[in-house]
Amino acid sequence: MATPDQPPHILVVDDDEGLLVLMAETLRGEGYEIDTARSARTARTWLDGHAVDLMILDLKLQDGDGPALVASLQRNRTAVPFVVVTGQGDEKIAVEVMKQGALDYVMKDTGLLDRLPAVVKRALTAVAQGKALRAAQAEHRRLEREIVAVSERERHSIGADLHDNLGQQLTALELMCTLAKE
């Protein structure tokens, strides 16, 4: 995973070796740390031992399809953020991969290498915003618990003060009233 002093780490998965090399080199040129895989099996094995900030995933691979790889990753570990790259321009497929969690969908055409850096930047921004939101929500829950705990301590403290101080004063007043009456 990227830290402030490290570039984002991206895994590019495509069975077309030429396009795989071109996408990897384009993204390296943008300053990203890139690893590649030419099959779903290789990607799954590689991800077992490494963490990435983003995966660029071909929709159709020789040993399976991208959505099946994503589904298996989601079942077996924390979901890997991904962008789908495909030569198939089917809106139905795009909707399905977006439902599965794809951050974006890019067509393999003559403008792919020009569009890819912007798509990756946008996807990494979305991933960072999601992490920041989850961190803010966790902090919000922690602060709520802290407020409840402080409220409970204050309630006990006020109850003890009422019992100890006010109760004793009322008892003393009652005794003094009884004495005054007699």
Side-chain angles (χ1 to χ4, degrees):
M1 294 294 188
T3 60
D5 57 331
Q6 286 183 317
H9 193 172
I10 300 171
L11 175 64
V12 181
V13 183
D14 198 313
D15 54 3
D16 179 337
E17 186 175 2
L19 187 56
L20 180 68
V21 169
L22 288 172
M23 287 190 294
E25 289 307 313
T26 297
L27 294 174
R28 276 190 192 102
E30 296 291 321
Y32 299 116
E33 182 180 337
I34 304 297
D35 278 290
T36 61
R38 290 187 56 206
S39 68
R41 182 175 31 260
T42 304
R44 192 176 299 109
T45 301
W46 189 90
L47 287 166
D48 283 339
H50 302 85
V52 293
D53 297 296
L54 184 67
M55 178 170 54
I56 308 298
L57 181 62
D58 187 6
L59 189 61
K60 296 290 181 190
L61 298 166
Q62 288 180 357
D63 65 341
D65 63 2
L69 172 61
V70 170
S72 99
L73 293 173
Q74 289 171 340
R75 279 191 307 273
N76 299 326
R77 65 176 69 86
T78 304
V80 176
F82 68 102
V83 170
V84 171
V85 180
T86 185
Q88 300 174 353
D90 185 352
E91 289 93 16
K92 182 180 176 187
I93 293 171
V95 169
E96 288 304 314
V97 294
M98 297 303 270
K99 284 181 183 177
Q100 200 173 7
L103 297 170
D104 211 334
Y105 183 88
V106 185
M107 292 299 302
K108 287 182 182 178
D109 58 17
T110 56
L112 170 66
L113 297 177
D114 294 330
R115 285 190 313 273
L116 190 59
V119 169
V120 166
K121 183 176 182 178
R122 190 171 51 245
L124 289 170
T125 299
V127 169
Q129 288 172 340
K131 286 178 184 177
L133 177 60
R134 286 188 296 280
Q137 289 170 333
E139 179 66 5
H140 183 261
R141 287 189 298 274
R142 185 192 69 76
L143 290 171
E144 281 180 337
R145 288 190 302 273
E146 191 174 317
I147 288 170
V148 168
V150 167
S151 297
E152 192 64 24
R153 284 193 306 270
E154 284 300 308
R155 189 178 66 77
H156 283 295
S157 175
I158 291 169
D161 286 347
L162 286 173
H163 178 268
D164 295 343
N165 296 337
L166 189 58
Q168 289 174 2
Q169 289 175 2
L170 288 174
T171 303
L173 283 174
E174 182 184 12
L175 288 172
M176 289 180 357
C177 286
T178 303
L179 284 174
K181 183 178 167 184
E182 291 175 358

